[in-house]
CSV table of all heavy atoms in Angstrom, one decimal:
chain,number,residue,atom,x,y,z
Z,11,GLN,N,113.4,73.5,77.7
Z,11,GLN,CA,114.7,73.8,78.4
Z,11,GLN,C,114.4,74.7,79.6
Z,11,GLN,O,114.4,76.0,79.4
Z,11,GLN,CB,115.7,74.5,77.4
Z,11,GLN,CG,115.8,73.9,76.1
Z,11,GLN,CD,116.5,72.5,76.2
Z,11,GLN,OE1,117.2,72.3,77.2
Z,11,GLN,NE2,116.3,71.6,75.3
Z,12,GLY,N,114.0,74.2,80.7
Z,12,GLY,CA,113.6,75.0,81.8
Z,12,GLY,C,112.4,75.8,81.5
Z,12,GLY,O,111.5,75.4,80.7
Z,13,THR,N,112.2,76.9,82.2
Z,13,THR,CA,111.0,77.8,82.0
Z,13,THR,C,111.3,78.9,81.0
Z,13,THR,O,112.3,79.6,81.2
Z,13,THR,CB,110.6,78.4,83.4
Z,13,THR,OG1,110.4,77.3,84.3
Z,13,THR,CG2,109.4,79.2,83.3
Z,14,ILE,N,110.5,79.0,80.0
Z,14,ILE,CA,110.7,80.0,78.9
Z,14,ILE,C,109.7,81.1,79.1
Z,14,ILE,O,108.5,80.9,79.2
Z,14,ILE,CB,110.5,79.3,77.5
Z,14,ILE,CG1,111.4,78.1,77.4
Z,14,ILE,CG2,110.7,80.3,76.4
Z,14,ILE,CD1,111.3,77.4,76.1
Z,15,PRO,N,110.1,82.3,79.1
Z,15,PRO,CA,109.2,83.5,79.3
Z,15,PRO,C,108.1,83.5,78.2
Z,15,PRO,O,108.4,83.1,77.1
Z,15,PRO,CB,110.1,84.7,79.3
Z,15,PRO,CG,111.5,84.1,79.7
Z,15,PRO,CD,111.5,82.8,79.1
Z,16,PHE,N,107.0,84.0,78.6
Z,16,PHE,CA,105.9,84.1,77.6
Z,16,PHE,C,106.2,85.0,76.4
Z,16,PHE,O,105.8,84.7,75.3
Z,16,PHE,CB,104.6,84.6,78.3
Z,16,PHE,CG,103.4,84.6,77.4
Z,16,PHE,CD1,102.7,83.5,77.3
Z,16,PHE,CD2,103.1,85.8,76.7
Z,16,PHE,CE1,101.6,83.5,76.4
Z,16,PHE,CE2,102.0,85.8,75.9
Z,16,PHE,CZ,101.2,84.6,75.8
Z,17,GLU,N,107.1,86.0,76.6
Z,17,GLU,CA,107.4,86.9,75.5
Z,17,GLU,C,108.1,86.1,74.4
Z,17,GLU,O,107.9,86.4,73.2
Z,17,GLU,CB,108.3,88.0,76.0
Z,17,GLU,CG,107.8,88.8,77.2
Z,17,GLU,CD,108.3,88.2,78.5
Z,17,GLU,OE1,109.4,88.4,78.9
Z,17,GLU,OE2,107.4,87.5,79.0
Z,18,ILE,N,109.0,85.1,74.8
Z,18,ILE,CA,109.7,84.3,73.8
Z,18,ILE,C,108.7,83.5,73.0
Z,18,ILE,O,108.8,83.4,71.7
Z,18,ILE,CB,110.7,83.5,74.4
Z,18,ILE,CG1,111.8,84.4,75.1
Z,18,ILE,CG2,111.4,82.5,73.4
Z,18,ILE,CD1,112.8,83.6,75.8
Z,19,ILE,N,107.7,83.0,73.7
Z,19,ILE,CA,106.7,82.1,73.0
Z,19,ILE,C,106.0,83.0,71.9
Z,19,ILE,O,105.8,82.6,70.8
Z,19,ILE,CB,105.7,81.6,74.0
Z,19,ILE,CG1,106.4,80.6,75.0
Z,19,ILE,CG2,104.6,80.8,73.3
Z,19,ILE,CD1,105.6,80.1,76.1
Z,20,ALA,N,105.6,84.2,72.4
Z,20,ALA,CA,104.9,85.1,71.4
Z,20,ALA,C,105.8,85.5,70.3
Z,20,ALA,O,105.3,85.5,69.1
Z,20,ALA,CB,104.4,86.4,72.2
Z,21,GLU,N,107.0,85.7,70.6
Z,21,GLU,CA,108.0,86.2,69.5
Z,21,GLU,C,108.2,85.1,68.5
Z,21,GLU,O,108.4,85.3,67.3
Z,21,GLU,CB,109.3,86.5,70.2
Z,21,GLU,CG,110.4,87.0,69.2
Z,21,GLU,CD,111.7,87.3,69.9
Z,21,GLU,OE1,111.6,87.6,71.1
Z,21,GLU,OE2,112.7,87.2,69.2
Z,32,HIS,N,98.4,75.2,75.4
Z,32,HIS,CA,99.3,75.6,76.5
Z,32,HIS,C,98.5,76.1,77.7
Z,32,HIS,O,98.9,75.9,78.9
Z,32,HIS,CB,100.2,76.7,76.0
Z,32,HIS,CG,101.2,77.2,77.0
Z,32,HIS,ND1,102.2,76.5,77.5
Z,32,HIS,CD2,101.1,78.4,77.7
Z,32,HIS,CE1,102.8,77.2,78.4
Z,32,HIS,NE2,102.2,78.4,78.6
Z,39,VAL,N,105.6,73.9,79.1
Z,39,VAL,CA,105.9,75.0,78.2
Z,39,VAL,C,106.7,74.5,77.1
Z,39,VAL,O,107.7,73.8,77.2
Z,39,VAL,CB,106.7,76.1,79.0
Z,39,VAL,CG1,106.9,77.3,78.1
Z,39,VAL,CG2,106.0,76.5,80.2
Z,40,PHE,N,106.2,74.8,75.8
Z,40,PHE,CA,106.8,74.1,74.7
Z,40,PHE,C,107.5,75.2,73.8
Z,40,PHE,O,107.1,76.3,73.7
Z,40,PHE,CB,105.8,73.4,73.8
Z,40,PHE,CG,105.1,72.4,74.6
Z,40,PHE,CD1,103.8,72.6,75.1
Z,40,PHE,CD2,105.7,71.1,74.8
Z,40,PHE,CE1,103.1,71.6,75.8
Z,40,PHE,CE2,105.0,70.1,75.5
Z,40,PHE,CZ,103.7,70.4,76.0
Z,130,ILE,N,119.9,81.1,77.8
Z,130,ILE,CA,118.6,80.6,78.2
Z,130,ILE,C,118.5,79.1,78.5
Z,130,ILE,O,117.6,78.7,79.2
Z,130,ILE,CB,117.5,80.9,77.1
Z,130,ILE,CG1,117.9,80.2,75.8
Z,130,ILE,CG2,117.4,82.4,76.9
Z,130,ILE,CD1,116.8,80.3,74.8
Side-chain angles (χ1 to χ4, degrees):
Q11 312 294 337
T13 302
I14 305 176
F16 183 83
E17 306 88 81
I18 295 178
I19 298 175
E21 182 181 332
H32 176 74
V39 182
F40 302 102
I130 61 172

